[in-house]
Amino acid sequence: MFNKITLSAAPFYASLVVITSLATFIGSFWAVNEYQAYQESVEIIKYNYKHQYESRLKEELDKVVELIDHLQLQNDQRVEHDIRERVQAAYTIASHNYQLYKDEKSPNELRSMVVELLRPMRWNNGRGYYFLGRVDDGIIDLFADEPFFEGKSAAEFHRLIGEDVVGNIVSIVRDKEAGLLRYNLTKPMFAGEILSKIAFVKYFQPLDWFIGAGIYSNDLEEILQSEVLARIQNIRFGADGEVFCLRADGTIISNQDERLIGRSVSDLIDRHGQEYGKAFLLAGVAKERTGYVHYSPTDSADGIVHQKLAYVSSYEKWGWVVGTSMFMDGMEQAIAIETETYQRIAFKNVLTFIVLFAIAVIFLLASTYYYSLKIRQGINLFTNFFQKAADANVKIDNKNLTFREFEDLGHLANKMVEYRINNELLLHRDELRLNSLLQLGMIEKQSLPDKYRFILQRIVQITRSEAGYLAIVDPDQAHLFFCSRIDSSDRQPSHEEALDMPISVEEAGLPGKVVIGRKAILANDFIPADDHNNYPYGNAVTRHLDVPVFNDGKIVMVAGVCNNRENYDNSDIRQVTRLLEGLWLHVLKKSAEEELARLERQIIAVSEEERSKIGRDLHDDLGSHLTGVELLSKALQQQLREEAPERAEQLGTIRNLIRDAIEKTRRLSQGLYPVHVVEYGLEAAMEELIAEAKKMFKVNFDLSWQDGGHSLGKNTATHLHYIIREAVFNAARHGKPNNIGVYMVQDDNGFLVKIVDDGKGFAGTPAATGMGFHTMKYRAKAIGATLTINSGEKSGTIISVSGEGLE
C-alpha cells in the first residue's frame, strides 16, 4: 500500500497534477479551438461558394423555364394564327359557293355542297380539321375528325362529352361573330380518354352557320416538347454547367450524356453510393417542387473525386423535372489553400506554446515548494493548538497563524461553538413552546383564567424575561381586559385588573401602543418619558417586547414581556406569536363548543314544548271528540238492535274502528307528551311502555328498577323516557331480538340506565346509522348525562346512560 502524503506536501504534488492537467487542458483547448477556427473558415468558404453556385444554378434554371414558356407562347400564337387563316379560307369557300348557287339550290343543298367540300381538307400533318354547325338549333352538320357527332344536337353533344361546347360556340358567334375556344373532348371510340382541343369559330350569316377549325392540343404539345428538348440538349453555361430534364415517372429525356436518355433516373449513383438520381426526382415532386442535390459523380477523367451541385424544379404543366448542374472545383481549391495555411500556422504556434509552458512550469514548481514549507509550519502550529483546546475548552488564538485561511478557519471554529450553543437554546425554546401547547389541550376542565396564567408563565420563561402581561382586546378595538400579569419579584400571576374592568387603549400604556400601531413592538433601548409609559409594569423597564394576535383583521389579544438579560429579537416575536395563536384557537374552540351546547339545549327545549303541545291537543281535543262519537254510536246501536239488526251490526263495526282510533290517539299523545311520566313517575311509564311494546312486537321484556329513595327531576325523567323508548323500539324493529332488558339504578351519586338486547346488532359508528342515535345523544347531553353504545353484528347491542339529575 502507498503511504498517505502530508497536507504540507500535497500542494507540491497537486501542483504537478494541476500543471500536467493544465497543459493537457490548455493544449487540448487550443487544438480544439484552432481546429474549430479552421472548420469555421472552411464552412465560410463552403457557404460563400455554395451560395454562388446555388444562385448561378437557379438563375440558369430560371432561364431554361423562361425559354420553355417563350417557346410555348410562340407556339400558341402560331397555332392561333394558323387556325384563324384556316377558318377564313373555309369561310371564303362557303361564301363563294353560296354566291354561285344561291338562286339554284336550296339552303340544305348548299349546306351539303359546302360540307362535302370541307370534309376532306386537312392540315398540320392531318391533325387539323373543320367542323360546321347551325346557330339556330345547334345541329352539327360537319365534324371531319369524328363523323359520329354529325347530326347531333347541342344537347346530345353536351350529354356525350359532358361539356356544353356547342352552347359556348353559339354564345361566341352571337356576341362577337368570331372567337377562340378551348375545350375537352371525349371520343366514343376512346372511352375514358379526355382530349384537349383548341378551335376558332366564325359566323356565316347566309346559312346561319358557325364555321370552325380545330386541332388537338396534345399533338401540339408533343411537337413543342420535342422542339424544347432539342434546344435544351445544346444549352451550356460556365465551364461545365449543363441542363437535364426528367419525366415525373423518372425517365431521363434530356442529358449532356446522350447515353443516359431514355434510362431511369434511379440508375444514377455516385462514388459514395448516393442515389442522386432519386434525389433529383424527390426534390422535383416534393411539396416545394424545388431543391438542391449535392453529389460526387463517378465518371471523373482525372480519377479525383469532384463535388457537383444540382438544382431541380418541377415544370408541372408537362409533368417534367428540369435541372441544372455544375462542378464545385473552385470551392475545393479554396479549401485546399486554407488547409495548407492552417497547418503552417499551427506548427509555429505549437512550438511557441511548448517553450513558454516549460518556463512557467519551472517557476510554478519552485514557488509551490517554498509555500509548502510554510504550510507545514502553520499546520503544526494549528495541530498543537487543537490538542490543547480540546481539554481546556478555550477558543482559538489567531495571532500566531501565518496564513489568512488558517485565521478564517479559527474564526469559523469559534463561531461554530457559539452557533451550537444558540441552536441548543432555540431547540429548548421550541420544545418548551410545543410542550405548552400540548398541555393547553390537556387541561380542558380548567377555567380560561387558569389557562391564561399558564400560557403567560410559559411566555415569560421562553423569552427569559422578568415580567409580563396578557390582555384581551374588545371587538371595537377601544378597550383592553387584562387577564393575567407576572410581577418581576416573584414571577407569579396576579389579578389586579379583573376582566370586567376594561381599560381604554389610550390609557393602557405599552399594550395600547400595540393596538394603535397594529404591529409588534420590539424595544431593546427603552427610555420611558414617564411612569405611564411603563404600564402595566410597576418596575423600571429597560427593554420590552409586545406582540398582538389578529383574527379577521382585528387585534384580539396582546401579550408583552420585559427586562430580558439580552436583547429581544425576531425569534422571540415568533415564539410569542405562535403561543398566543395557539391560545386563541383554543379559546375559539372552547367558545364554539359552549355555544353549540347552548343551541342544542335550546333546540331540544323548543322541540319538547311543541311535542307536549301537540300531545295535549291530541289527548284533550281529538281524544275527547272521538270518545263522544263512540258514545253516540253506542246509543244509536242499542236503538237499532230492535229496529234494524243488520244496521246495528254495521254500526258495531264502526264503533270498533272508533275505539281503535281512540287507542292510537292515546298512544300517539303519550309518545308526544308523556303525561304518565309527569303524573306517575318514570318507573310506571316504563311499565306501560313495555306493555305497549309487547303488544306490537313478539319479544320478551325484562324490567329491573332499583330506587335508592331519590327521585329524578322532571326534565331528566322526561328525557330518559324518550331515550329508553327510542332504544327499545329501535332494538325491536331493527335488531330482531328474542329478549330486551331495561335496567335502572338510582343512588346518591346519580343514575345508570342500560337497555340490552340479543339481536343482530350493527357494525361501525352508531352515530352514522340513523337519526334516532343523534336524538338520544342530544337528549343525554341536555341533562348532562353520558351515552355510550356498544354493539356487534352477532352479539347484540348495549346502550348505557349515566349521569346525575337527582332532585
Side-chain angles (χ1 to χ4, degrees):
M1 295 180 64
F2 295 99
N3 294 327
K4 295 183 178 179
I5 62 173
T6 61
L7 181 60
S8 60
F12 181 78
Y13 292 110
S15 297
L16 288 176
V17 176
V18 169
I19 291 170
T20 305
S21 302
L22 190 62
T24 304
F25 174 75
I26 293 176
S28 302
F29 177 77
W30 175 82
V32 171
N33 187 59
E34 288 295 321
Y35 182 73
Q36 288 180 347
Y38 162 71
Q39 289 293 103
E40 290 177 1
S41 178
V42 171
E43 290 298 325
I44 292 173
I45 293 173
K46 288 182 178 180
Y47 175 79
N48 292 334
Y49 274 91
K50 184 179 179 183
H51 181 69
Q52 294 175 8
Y53 287 131
E54 290 178 351
S55 300
R56 179 66 184 278
L57 290 175
K58 188 176 185 304
E59 180 182 351
E60 295 297 332
L61 185 61
D62 291 340
K63 291 180 181 179
V64 173
V65 174
E66 289 178 2
L67 173 63
I68 296 174
D69 292 338
H70 177 70
L71 292 176
Q72 189 172 11
L73 179 61
Q74 286 184 336
N75 184 67
D76 290 344
Q77 293 175 348
R78 184 173 64 250
V79 170
E80 182 178 346
H81 181 265
D82 186 36
I83 60 178
R84 281 178 182 271
E85 290 184 349
R86 297 293 179 180
V87 170
Q88 186 60 40
Y91 187 89
T92 302
I93 292 172
S95 177
H96 177 72
N97 281 274
Y98 179 78
Q99 294 296 331
L100 289 177
Y101 302 107
K102 65 179 181 179
D103 296 330
E104 300 176 4
K105 297 182 181 295
S106 66
N108 288 332
E109 292 175 339
L110 290 173
R111 288 191 183 101
S112 300
M113 184 184 297
V114 174
V115 166
E116 297 305 321
L117 289 173
L118 296 180
R119 184 186 299 278
M121 291 185 180
R122 293 285 193 280
W123 68 93
N124 195 12
N125 296 326
R127 294 184 176 90
Y129 63 90
Y130 288 110
F131 58 88
L132 302 173
R134 302 177 190 179
V135 176
D136 184 27
D137 52 13
I139 299 297
I140 305 298
D141 290 329
L142 172 65
F143 204 100
D145 186 61
E146 186 61 57
F148 172 78
F149 293 116
E150 295 179 3
K152 299 292 191 294
S153 64
E156 292 176 319
F157 196 85
H158 184 191
R159 179 177 55 79
L160 290 172
I161 68 173
E163 186 176 352
D164 190 11
V165 177
V166 177
N168 295 335
I169 294 173
V170 171
S171 299
I172 291 173
V173 299
R174 283 180 176 175
D175 295 341
K176 301 182 294 184
E177 294 189 355
L180 194 67
L181 177 68
R182 295 179 185 271
Y183 61 94
N184 295 323
L185 179 65
T186 302
K187 293 184 178 181
M189 65 183 62
F190 301 103
E193 182 180 358
I194 299 176
L195 304 175
S196 178
K197 295 193 62 178
I198 180 172
F200 184 81
V201 294
K202 187 173 182 179
Y203 183 51
F204 185 66
Q205 193 272 336
L207 294 178
D208 192 30
W209 259 0
F210 56 83
I211 301 175
I215 189 170
Y216 291 100
S217 302
N218 299 339
D219 298 335
L220 295 176
E221 284 188 357
E222 291 178 1
I223 297 172
L224 178 59
Q225 288 175 2
S226 300
E227 181 181 351
V228 168
L229 291 175
R231 295 284 294 272
I232 290 177
Q233 188 72 21
N234 299 320
I235 293 177
R236 301 289 186 275
F237 60 92
D240 50 20
E242 62 173 328
V243 181
F244 59 89
C245 189
L246 317 170
R247 287 199 187 99
D249 59 0
T251 303
I252 302 174
I253 57 178
S254 176
N255 195 281
Q256 187 178 7
D257 187 355
E258 296 183 358
R259 295 174 299 176
L260 298 177
I261 297 177
R263 293 176 57 184
S264 172
V265 74
S266 302
D267 298 335
L268 301 180
I269 302 175
D270 68 356
R271 289 178 178 270
H272 305 295
Q274 178 188 358
E275 296 179 335
Y276 65 90
K278 289 185 178 180
F280 291 161
L281 190 60
L282 290 175
V285 300
K287 183 178 180 181
E288 293 79 9
R289 302 294 183 182
T290 60
Y292 293 95
V293 179
H294 188 277
Y295 60 100
S296 301
T298 60
D299 56 352
S300 176
D302 54 6
I304 301 175
V305 179
H306 295 277
Q307 300 183 46
K308 201 169 186 180
L309 184 66
Y311 177 71
V312 296
S313 178
S314 173
Y315 192 75
E316 298 182 24
K317 187 173 183 180
W318 289 351
W320 284 4
V321 176
V322 184
T324 55
S325 65
M326 64 187 304
F327 285 99
M328 305 173 72
D329 293 340
M331 181 183 71
E332 294 176 355
Q333 293 174 2
I335 292 174
I337 294 171
E338 179 67 18
T339 302
E340 182 181 355
T341 302
Y342 166 75
Q343 292 174 350
R344 184 176 64 255
I345 295 174
F347 179 77
K348 186 186 297 184
N349 290 341
V350 168
L351 184 61
T352 304
F353 172 77
I354 292 174
V355 174
L356 294 177
F357 189 78
I359 296 172
V361 167
I362 295 171
F363 177 76
L364 182 59
L365 289 177
S367 301
T368 304
Y369 180 74
Y370 171 77
Y371 282 105
S372 293
L373 297 177
K374 292 292 184 181
I375 292 173
R376 181 187 295 273
Q377 295 175 1
I379 291 175
N380 291 335
L381 182 63
F382 213 81
T383 302
N384 293 333
F385 169 78
F386 270 112
Q387 289 176 350
K388 296 178 182 179
D391 298 329
N393 197 20
V394 295
K395 293 185 178 180
I396 297 175
D397 186 4
N398 295 329
K399 295 180 180 180
N400 296 324
L401 297 177
T402 303
F403 292 96
R404 181 179 300 174
E405 287 76 7
F406 288 156
E407 291 181 356
D408 294 340
L409 184 60
H411 288 301
L412 291 174
N414 294 334
K415 189 175 181 180
M416 180 183 64
V417 175
E418 296 176 356
Y419 184 71
R420 178 175 56 82
I421 295 173
N422 291 333
N423 280 345
E424 289 177 353
L425 179 60
L426 290 176
L427 180 61
H428 174 70
R429 295 170 67 186
D430 287 338
E431 291 176 350
L432 189 58
R433 172 174 56 82
L434 293 176
N435 179 264
S436 301
L437 294 176
L438 289 174
Q439 290 191 22
L440 182 63
M442 297 171 62
I443 54 176
E444 288 285 342
K445 296 184 178 180
Q446 293 189 16
S447 63
L448 280 178
D450 293 336
K451 296 176 181 178
Y452 292 147
R453 286 193 296 272
F454 169 73
I455 292 298
L456 181 58
Q457 287 176 339
R458 289 303 177 93
I459 290 175
V460 172
Q461 183 180 356
I462 290 173
T463 57
R464 306 173 306 282
S465 303
E466 293 183 356
Y469 68 88
L470 182 63
I472 301 294
V473 184
D474 70 346
D476 296 331
Q477 308 288 281
H479 295 85
L480 291 93
F481 302 85
F482 283 92
C483 305
S484 181
R485 286 197 311 177
I486 292 181
D487 191 273
S488 59
S489 59
D490 55 4
R491 292 197 177 189
Q492 293 299 320
S494 62
H495 290 280
E496 296 177 2
E497 291 82 15
L499 289 176
D500 56 352
M501 295 181 62
I503 301 175
S504 65
V505 171
E506 291 78 8
E507 299 176 355
L510 295 177
K513 292 180 180 179
V514 174
V515 176
I516 294 173
R518 296 182 61 79
K519 63 180 181 179
I521 298 177
L522 190 154
N524 288 318
D525 296 315
F526 181 67
I527 302 177
D530 51 44
D531 293 340
H532 178 71
N533 288 344
N534 290 357
Y535 191 82
Y537 304 115
N539 56 315
V541 177
T542 57
R543 56 179 63 92
H544 68 90
L545 174 66
D546 303 273
V547 179
V549 172
F550 290 86
N551 184 42
D552 293 334
K554 293 184 178 181
I555 298 177
V556 295
M557 186 178 292
V558 180
V561 290
C562 69
N563 295 344
N564 186 355
R565 291 187 297 273
E566 299 176 357
N567 289 338
Y568 293 107
D569 54 22
N570 289 330
S571 65
D572 294 312
I573 295 178
R574 289 194 296 270
Q575 295 287 351
V576 175
T577 301
R578 290 168 182 171
L579 273 173
L580 292 179
E581 288 175 348
L583 174 61
W584 182 250
L585 290 176
H586 184 80
V587 171
L588 292 179
K589 176 177 175 292
K590 194 69 176 178
S591 299
E593 291 175 351
E594 292 177 355
E595 179 65 15
L596 180 62
R598 186 189 64 81
L599 291 175
E600 289 177 351
R601 289 193 297 271
Q602 184 176 355
I603 290 171
I604 292 175
V606 172
S607 175
E608 290 301 323
E609 183 178 351
E610 291 298 322
R611 289 168 60 96
S612 299
K613 181 179 178 182
I614 295 172
R616 287 193 299 270
D617 290 342
L618 287 174
H619 184 271
D620 298 340
D621 295 339
L622 182 58
S624 300
H625 183 73
L626 290 175
T627 300
V629 172
E630 195 274 335
L631 292 175
L632 292 175
S633 301
K634 180 180 180 181
L636 182 59
Q637 183 183 15
Q638 293 176 351
Q639 182 178 354
L640 291 175
R641 280 177 181 172
E642 299 178 358
E643 300 177 0
E646 294 180 357
R647 296 296 180 88
E649 184 178 354
Q650 293 175 357
L651 190 58
T653 303
I654 295 174
R655 282 187 61 202
N656 292 333
L657 293 176
I658 293 174
R659 281 195 294 267
D660 290 341
I662 292 172
E663 180 62 22
K664 290 180 181 179
T665 302
R666 185 185 66 81
R667 289 200 301 267
L668 182 59
S669 64
Q670 288 178 353
L672 293 174
Y673 175 60
V675 62
H676 46 289
V677 176
V678 178
E679 295 178 356
Y680 305 107
L682 181 59
E683 183 179 2
M686 290 300 98
E687 293 175 352
E688 186 174 352
L689 172 63
I690 290 175
E692 178 184 358
K694 285 182 178 180
K695 293 180 181 179
M696 298 177 63
F697 309 103
K698 296 180 180 180
V699 180
N700 298 321
F701 284 92
D702 182 20
L703 175 64
S704 175
W705 193 278
Q706 297 181 15
D707 191 351
H710 300 276
S711 60
L712 296 171
K714 175 182 176 182
N715 185 52
T716 302
T718 302
H719 285 294
L720 280 178
H721 169 263
Y722 284 122
I723 292 173
I724 296 170
R725 182 183 182 88
E726 184 71 29
V728 168
F729 277 88
N730 279 343
R733 288 194 185 100
H734 307 298
K736 307 299 182 182
N738 294 320
N739 302 281
I740 297 177
V742 179
Y743 310 102
M744 181 163 182
V745 178
Q746 289 180 244
D747 55 22
D748 296 338
N749 297 324
F751 61 87
L752 172 63
V753 179
K754 285 189 176 184
I755 302 95
V756 182
D757 68 79
D758 57 359
K760 62 182 180 179
F762 53 85
T765 304
T769 59
M771 190 64 189
F773 288 104
H774 290 282
T775 304
M776 288 192 293
K777 182 177 68 174
Y778 292 150
R779 290 186 179 278
K781 185 180 292 187
I783 59 177
T786 301
L787 184 140
T788 59
I789 302 175
N790 297 311
S791 179
E793 293 186 2
K794 298 181 179 180
S795 59
T797 303
I798 300 175
I799 299 176
S800 302
V801 186
S802 61
E804 298 179 359
L806 300 177
E807 291 183 339

